[in-house]
Amino acid sequence: MDRTRAWYERFARQEAAGRSPLYVAWAEGVAADDEVLELLGELPPEKRQPNLLFASARWCGADDGMGEVASPREVPSPRETVSSRERASAGATIGATAGASWGGEVGADVGTRVAAGADADNGGTSYAAFRGFVVSNWSRVAEEMRLRSTQTNEPGRTASILPVLAQIDEAEGPLALIDVGASAGLCLYPDRYSFRLTNSSSVRSLDAEPGAQMLDPDDGIGRLDAETGAQKLNPDDGVWRLDPEDGLSSVVLETVVTDSAGRNDAALDSADRDEHTRDASETTVPAGRDAAQGSAEATRASLVLPTRMPRIAWRAGIDLAPIDVRDAEDIRWFLTLLWPEETERRSRIEAALEIVRRDPPLLVTGDAVDDLAALVAQVPAGATPVVVTAGVLAYLPPARREEFAREVRRLGVRWISNEGERVLPAVAERLARIEGAGAAASEPGRFIVALDGEPLAVAGPHGQWLRFL
């Protein structure tokens, strides 16, 4: 009980604070409620997580004060419902990101949201009302929690790995992108999103030669040059722009690029904290692909803002229970996981879901370790296989993470990890040797972006900020 209590206290203090007044109230209430903690103790430890409880209760009809996700009459009973959640019943899905909050296309099913956060102290959204609902409907809520997993995607994380993808493309050719824990596959489409990076004048770019950064004199907006493909910087607003080949995307991802850990204000935002930064024991991470690809120092020194989108020749994902963007129930659960007040993220996910729905990727049901080789074997000739883990490995036991690292190395693929700092301790140790002590304290909740186990950058959990090493 004490560990679960501490989990909810930390969730309220470090993860929900500044993002969701409702979830702060609910988490604080659970942490102080021995009866509800005893109920949670009936579940396997990995099923007691706050976001799973809150989403399952809302799915069953608990009022979130933001427009009902589903009323009890609309939701099928657990035994009537079939879909991805039954495939996930054997364990926690590896394609999860427990700190997400947004929505999607089926607006009639999820209800209307409002921009303001719910008043967690009044009416049906108080902890007392939530507690009453959970206790009265515990058998149903508990069964949902056993059958389901947290499975939201964050396309913003593609901003953190975009420079690494571009670097691999530049050196090794078009990519075969494989997302482990893919959920709905939203992180498989970095080439379909638009990126806006601010403060980019202070970081390296491929346009380092004089005259390479070009500006449209008529409107002062940077665009791709038709002949060179060079990405132009708008010196008036300091924004580095990169769009898909067919123009501005419906998903625009904004990232603050910084050059100093000591003055990275974006890192201090409470929204950057993420459940994936929980503690993990030591694990083994591959030290690099081979000597021919150069030293880790050279790799870090060559990491730059890309001048064009990485070429993705093939894309696929693996998950214990993939989300089918064309399946209404899958999407309804996917959306129920999103936190009530974060309406901007909701809009971004709605747009990303539509992009994926128009051209769904190959998503296979399988285990990150046991079934990865079969997926890699499908990579077409001429494409460089790149395996990506983003906010996923925290959901694997430490020993299983070691097995995953060994398997990736055995397969001889490139591995981009974008994980919480405590998830891969060996990577964190390498980072500490690179930047010394103190940086982590100024960037709470940060993720480490690494290639084949070597740190290249640090980033916000959802791609809100990025700092090259």
Side-chain angles (χ1 to χ4, degrees):
M1 182 184 295
D2 288 343
R3 295 186 66 179
T4 304
R5 188 193 312 276
W7 192 351
Y8 278 76
E9 288 174 343
R10 183 174 63 84
F11 180 88
R13 183 178 65 254
Q14 297 184 0
E15 297 166 33
R19 293 174 62 184
S20 174
L22 179 67
Y23 278 10
V24 169
W26 286 2
E28 290 177 343
V30 171
D33 193 325
D34 287 350
E35 182 179 357
V36 173
L37 289 171
E38 287 181 5
L39 292 175
L40 288 169
E42 299 171 4
L43 302 173
E46 70 273 10
K47 294 292 185 177
R48 301 171 191 169
Q49 59 179 283
N51 201 41
L52 185 58
L53 169 63
F54 300 157
S56 296
R58 290 169 59 214
W59 175 263
C60 291
D63 183 13
D64 63 10
M66 306 291 289
E68 289 183 341
V69 172
S71 71
R73 292 176 297 176
E74 292 173 317
V75 180
S77 71
R79 299 193 183 279
E80 292 172 343
T81 303
V82 295
S83 195
S84 61
R85 64 195 179 103
E86 294 187 54
R87 300 193 296 271
S89 60
T93 278
I94 58 175
T97 57
S101 324
W102 28 18
E105 182 188 67
V106 286
D109 291 329
V110 292
T112 302
R113 306 283 179 167
V114 296
D119 182 350
D121 297 321
N122 295 307
T125 59
S126 68
Y127 176 69
F130 171 78
R131 180 192 191 281
F133 182 90
V134 168
V135 172
S136 299
N137 297 274
W138 176 246
S139 61
R140 189 172 184 189
V141 172
E143 187 156 6
E144 293 292 346
M145 294 178 70
R146 289 188 180 95
L147 292 176
R148 295 187 179 277
S149 299
T150 52
Q151 288 182 270
T152 43
N153 273 163
E154 175 47 79
R157 287 181 176 142
T158 60
S160 303
I161 68 171
L162 185 71
V164 189
L165 293 172
Q167 183 186 65
I168 298 172
D169 177 21
E170 186 77 17
E172 304 179 43
L175 312 178
L177 191 60
I178 300 173
D179 188 13
V180 175
S183 188
L186 303 189
C187 290
L188 285 167
Y189 293 82
D191 56 335
R192 307 286 177 86
Y193 303 147
S194 286
F195 297 89
R196 300 292 182 263
L197 297 96
T198 59
N199 297 340
S200 54
S201 59
S202 64
V203 299
R204 302 178 295 268
S205 79
L206 288 177
D207 293 332
E209 298 181 2
Q213 290 183 353
M214 292 167 284
L215 181 70
D216 186 328
D218 293 330
D219 61 9
I221 296 176
R223 293 188 177 84
L224 287 176
D225 179 76
E227 294 183 5
T228 67
Q231 177 62 35
K232 303 165 215 173
L233 174 70
N234 181 352
D236 294 330
D237 62 9
V239 177
W240 186 270
R241 293 169 167 81
L242 189 62
D243 296 317
E245 290 184 358
D246 57 355
L248 182 67
S249 172
S250 58
V251 175
V252 179
L253 303 172
E254 298 181 353
T255 299
V256 175
V257 182
T258 70
D259 60 359
S260 171
R263 46 192 178 89
N264 186 355
D265 295 335
L268 303 178
D269 191 290
S270 62
D272 288 358
R273 293 188 287 264
D274 192 280
E275 191 161 324
H276 302 84
T277 59
R278 60 180 179 234
D279 289 319
S281 62
E282 190 69 34
T283 186
T284 301
V285 180
R289 200 178 188 195
D290 55 51
Q293 292 174 328
S295 67
E297 291 77 9
T299 302
R300 282 189 288 273
S302 63
L303 191 65
V304 296
L305 292 177
T307 60
R308 61 172 173 81
M309 288 292 184
R311 296 168 295 172
I312 300 177
W314 186 80
R315 66 193 90 216
I318 186 170
D319 198 293
L320 287 180
I323 293 289
D324 184 349
V325 296
R326 297 159 295 188
D327 183 279
E329 186 190 340
D330 273 8
I331 294 302
R332 284 180 64 192
W333 171 247
F334 184 81
L335 303 181
T336 305
L337 286 164
L338 308 178
W339 295 14
E341 298 94 341
E342 294 185 324
T343 55
E344 289 187 9
R345 290 184 72 196
R346 177 183 177 83
S347 298
R348 187 164 68 243
I349 283 295
E350 288 176 344
L353 284 169
E354 182 55 33
I355 288 173
V356 176
R357 193 176 289 114
R358 290 197 297 263
D359 181 23
L362 170 64
L363 295 180
V364 300
T365 301
D367 178 82
V369 179
D370 299 337
D371 302 307
L372 181 60
L375 186 56
V376 170
Q378 299 183 48
V379 170
T384 300
V386 179
V387 171
V388 176
T389 61
V392 163
L393 296 183
Y395 291 91
L396 296 181
R400 197 62 169 163
R401 296 175 211 165
E402 294 184 15
E403 294 176 15
F404 176 81
R406 288 194 294 269
E407 178 68 359
V408 168
R409 183 162 186 162
R410 184 189 72 82
L411 292 171
V413 300
R414 307 311 303 268
W415 174 28
I416 301 175
S417 58
N418 182 22
E419 302 287 347
E421 186 160 11
R422 290 177 290 181
V423 174
L424 296 172
V427 175
E429 287 181 5
R430 291 189 181 96
L431 176 60
R433 289 197 295 268
I434 293 167
E435 62 180 10
S442 68
E443 296 171 334
R446 65 182 184 173
F447 274 29
I448 303 175
V449 180
L451 177 61
D452 302 325
E454 291 294 342
L456 301 181
V458 291
H462 296 153
Q464 307 96 318
W465 59 270
L466 175 68
R467 177 171 63 85
F468 296 152
L469 298 176

